[in-house]
Amino acid sequence: MTSASPAPARPHLTGPPRTGRALTPRGINLALLALALGGFAIGTTEFVAMGLLPELAADLLPAVYESSPEDATAQAGMLISAYALGVVVGAPTIAALSARFPRKKLLLVLLVAFTLGTVASALLPSFTLVLLARFVAGLPHGAYFGIAALVAAELMGPGKRGRGIAIVLSGLTIANVIGVPAITFLGQNSGWRVAYLVVALLFALTFVAVWLVVPMQAGDPGATMRRELKAFSRIQVWLTLAIGAVGFGGFFAVYTYVAPVLTEVTGLDASLVPVVLVFAGLGMTIGNFVGGRVSDWRVIPGLFIFFGFLMFALLGLALTAHTVVGLFVFVFLVGAASSGLSPVIQTRLMEVAEDSQTLAAAVNHASLNLGNSLGAYLGGVVIAAGYGYLSPTWVGLALCVPAVILVVLSVIVAARGRTQSHRRADLGLQKDAVLDGTLS
């Protein structure tokens, strides 16, 4: 008799090359740069509102702003939450429905949707309509990053998927160094509507770049909506999504209100808001690449490392934001710690989702933007309650605690799963031994 069947092998996170032709290193680099340009445009459209909250509040909520700038600014934070909720809704829906579609064509369709949604955000006249436009503009966010991450991972090849994901995400982090400060400066001087029209132009340029240099890749021919949605039947998928949502809620509670912290807590001029955003973006860029390397090393230790780092940075910011040095140093460190988590969580999701790769790659951004919405909302609540502009930092620190607990729980669940798998294997071997003895 044969021994018990071995446990099924872990699925490959990147399938065989499906580009139809071999790419040169230069071709791969150009394709990755085009995908990262999309991340740059997305990062700009997502985060620029954080630097322009006072301008958005004054223009779209003039009556509220005249009576209470704090209340108007907190209410304007709903624009950030609306975009984030669009990501939460769009990521799993689009990913599940489109897993079989050719990846390049899907990316192009998503970029058209981004362009139109951002133009609508710039042109619509009222707060309610702009709020709706920001929700619509967020719908393709998770699907774009998910598909782009799969394309990049396939281009990079086995053993480098974390670095491939980090390259795509680098566009988002570099946006916080260049795009967000530049567009914030433009918005402060020419109006926030002009700023959003420039962001729409970035999406149009990305469409051209992807069309020209990203190779054709087939979708997953065996994918079905039912198979993709099967990911949600796995407890580890839910745990990983919760880790991202709660943990990133801590970052966004701070980042959403960094402009009023600079002006009201540190006492600096509003013209320096783009500068502090540059510091945050530099931290995010460095943290992202470090996170990519760490995720190719070991995922779970990486989660503990970056959450510990984030808690230290948030505490430092809460205690020293009234000083110029403290504000700039710890905003940099908060950005680095939070951005380091992103590729680690992305890789973890792709590990635990098994054959639901498209959905797993996309819903990571849904969970992170759920954290965006959660953090922006809770930060607005404590500000509106009169606790001051620095109170969201303490909210962020508090949110890190359940995130770490969820990582521990994920480790426990994984250990129990391995123990049960070993027991089943041992039982199978024992049965085979008995049968072998009987037959002999």
Side-chain angles (χ1 to χ4, degrees):
M1 294 291 294
T2 60
S3 61
S5 299
R10 194 170 91 181
H12 294 293
L13 299 184
T14 59
R18 290 175 290 190
T19 61
R21 59 186 174 86
L23 289 179
T24 63
R26 180 175 179 271
I28 292 173
N29 289 335
L30 286 174
L32 293 174
L33 285 174
L35 297 173
L37 179 60
F40 181 87
I42 294 171
T44 304
T45 197
E46 180 179 17
F47 296 130
V48 72
M50 298 172 183
L52 293 175
L53 271 185
E55 288 76 13
L56 287 161
D59 186 42
L60 294 173
L61 299 164
V64 180
Y65 191 84
E66 185 176 349
S67 61
S68 174
E70 280 194 355
D71 287 346
T73 301
Q75 192 172 336
M78 292 173 62
L79 295 169
I80 299 167
S81 298
Y83 180 92
L85 289 176
V87 181
V88 173
V89 172
T93 305
I94 297 173
L97 290 172
S98 62
R100 299 178 68 177
F101 292 1
R103 290 173 179 171
K104 178 176 178 176
K105 291 182 179 179
L106 180 58
L107 288 172
L108 293 174
V109 170
L110 295 172
L111 288 166
V112 169
F114 270 125
T115 304
L116 296 177
T118 308
V119 169
S121 301
L123 299 181
L124 290 172
S126 69
F127 177 78
T128 301
L129 290 176
V130 174
L131 192 71
L132 178 61
R134 296 314 296 154
F135 173 80
V136 172
L139 291 173
H141 177 123
Y144 177 88
F145 272 121
I147 299 300
L150 291 174
V151 172
E154 188 167 295
L155 291 173
M156 291 292 286
K160 297 181 180 180
R161 64 182 184 273
R163 276 166 277 184
I165 293 167
I167 289 172
V168 173
L169 293 175
S170 70
L172 188 150
T173 60
I174 292 172
N176 287 277
V177 181
I178 301 172
V180 174
I183 298 298
T184 298
F185 179 80
L186 177 66
Q188 288 175 333
N189 290 276
S190 301
W192 67 268
R193 295 183 186 276
V194 174
Y196 273 105
L197 287 175
V198 172
V199 175
L201 179 61
L202 289 175
F203 282 117
L205 292 174
T206 304
F207 177 93
V208 174
V210 170
W211 178 57
L212 290 176
V213 301
V214 172
M216 292 297 297
Q217 280 192 12
D220 185 347
T224 64
M225 189 170 185
R226 181 178 180 181
R227 194 192 78 178
E228 291 296 316
L229 292 176
K230 190 178 179 181
F232 292 125
S233 67
R234 302 182 180 103
I235 184 64
Q236 287 286 18
V237 169
W238 284 106
L239 286 172
T240 307
L241 291 174
I243 290 166
V246 177
F248 267 74
F251 166 68
F252 284 111
V254 173
Y255 194 62
T256 301
Y257 301 100
V258 69
V261 168
L262 180 141
T263 56
E264 303 301 324
V265 177
T266 316
L268 299 176
D269 189 82
S271 62
L272 290 174
V273 170
V275 180
V276 78
L277 293 178
V278 168
F279 271 73
L282 286 171
M284 293 172 72
T285 301
I286 294 171
N288 173 63
F289 284 110
V290 173
R293 292 280 182 173
V294 169
S295 63
D296 283 333
W297 168 60
R298 292 182 68 187
V299 172
I300 294 297
L303 289 172
F304 284 116
I305 289 169
F306 283 115
F307 270 120
F309 185 21
L310 180 58
M311 294 174 75
F312 164 76
L314 287 168
L315 180 62
L317 181 63
L319 296 178
T320 66
H322 60 283
T323 69
V324 175
V325 173
L327 175 70
F328 281 85
V329 168
F330 284 103
V331 162
F332 172 89
L333 293 179
V334 167
S338 60
S339 191
L341 281 167
S342 187
V344 180
I345 293 173
Q346 177 79 84
T347 303
R348 176 63 175 170
L349 261 180
M350 293 171 73
E351 286 181 346
V352 300
E354 299 180 11
D355 57 355
S356 303
Q357 290 295 296
T358 302
L359 186 66
V363 295
N364 177 45
H365 296 277
S367 71
L368 300 187
N369 278 271
L370 186 59
N372 185 341
S373 181
L374 176 69
Y377 171 74
L378 293 178
V381 167
V382 293
I383 289 173
Y387 291 104
Y389 285 116
L390 200 55
S391 57
T393 306
W394 294 103
V395 171
L397 186 61
L399 286 173
C400 286
V401 176
V404 173
I405 293 173
L406 287 167
V407 177
V408 173
L409 183 58
S410 179
V411 172
I412 293 172
V413 170
R416 288 182 176 177
R418 287 192 298 269
T419 300
Q420 291 174 356
S421 178
H422 291 155
R423 287 176 179 173
R424 286 193 296 267
D426 290 342
L427 182 60
L429 289 171
Q430 292 171 7
K431 289 181 178 177
D432 283 349
V434 171
L435 289 173
D436 286 342
T438 303
L439 292 175
S440 61

